[in-house]
Amino acid sequence: MGKFILHRLAVSVFILLAVSVIIFCATLLLPGSPAEAILGQQATPERIAALEAEMNLDKPPVERYFLWLGGVLTGDFGTSTSTGGAVSELLGQPLVNSLVLMALAALFSIPLGILVGIYAAWWRGYRRDTAITWVTLILAAMPEFVIGIGLITLFATSVFQVLPAVTMSPPGSNVWDFPSQLVLPTLTLTLVVSPYIARMTRATMIETLDSGYVEMARLKGVPERRVIFRHALPHAVGPIAQVVAIQLAWLAGGIVVVEYLFRYPGLGVALIDAVNYRDVQVVQAVSLLIAAVYVVVNLL
């Protein structure tokens, strides 16, 4: 087991290094010069050359990569060209906000998906099972922004108007100080993640409920509820845990679209704003953080 864990750790480090190369190369392929985008069209060649020297854009790409990687390994993600401050300070609060949203989505989606899957397996072959199968299939096939727009239409604009459509926290306050603003983003992510967990739970539970030890428990007169939760569910946890891990890892990247849709002040909005302003250091840092979360969740 120790060798296996060390091997997986080594593979994870290699993957992160490979991702860092891809991220750096992707920012090199962005059209135009970041210095020109920052200074505007009226900038003189001298000012552009001075800013490029300040941002190390005049150095060869390989040297620039190792300079950036060395800073990342020491906790220095560089300086934001749009704000002039350190990238680590700029992304501190958005990272916390994104982790809060991911934790809330996981807190609701995992129990909901498992319970719905168990209920469907319990009533397999009946109309309840058929209805759950169709609903989860439809939700799984819909992109997250479609679900989010539907929830905004239903609860924030046209029908009920009981929740805010976007996140508008006053400066200096935390996003969780206004819980109503977290409802729609959390609900969107929950409806995106839970169908996959429910479908895998149903399939695994059906297979487990047909096993010999479950039949023996029933022949002994064990109540059906105890058969499901004490005998069947523990043996079905393995595949369910794998799907849960994949969905949690997906949240690291899929949360970007949901955050932008609701203007939630997390890494997603920070990434999109950085792309618009050609803030290369922030783009690289956010992309690497999302990749790191994905790799760590899969490793765990």
Side-chain angles (χ1 to χ4, degrees), residues 162-246:
V162 293
L163 294 170
V166 295
T167 306
M168 299 180 64
S169 301
S173 63
N174 297 314
V175 68
W176 53 85
D177 292 336
F178 305 90
S180 61
Q181 299 184 108
L182 295 170
V183 175
L184 288 183
T186 302
L187 184 58
T188 301
L189 291 173
T190 300
L191 293 179
V192 172
V193 172
S194 56
Y196 295 94
I197 301 175
R199 292 177 66 82
M200 177 55 71
T201 303
R202 176 187 178 276
T204 308
M205 285 295 296
I206 288 177
E207 181 179 353
T208 307
L209 289 172
D210 291 335
S211 59
Y213 55 86
V214 172
E215 291 294 334
M216 180 61 68
R218 286 170 173 164
L219 291 174
K220 289 182 178 180
V222 178
E224 188 67 18
R225 187 182 301 273
R226 187 175 181 183
V227 167
I228 290 176
F229 289 99
R230 292 291 299 276
H231 295 273
L233 184 58
H235 292 83
V237 163
I240 297 173
Q242 294 178 9
V243 173
V244 169
I246 292 173

Side-chain angles (χ1 to χ4, degrees), residues 249-261:
W250 172 88
L251 280 175
I255 201 173
V256 172
V257 176
V258 175
E259 286 184 352
Y260 184 73
L261 177 63

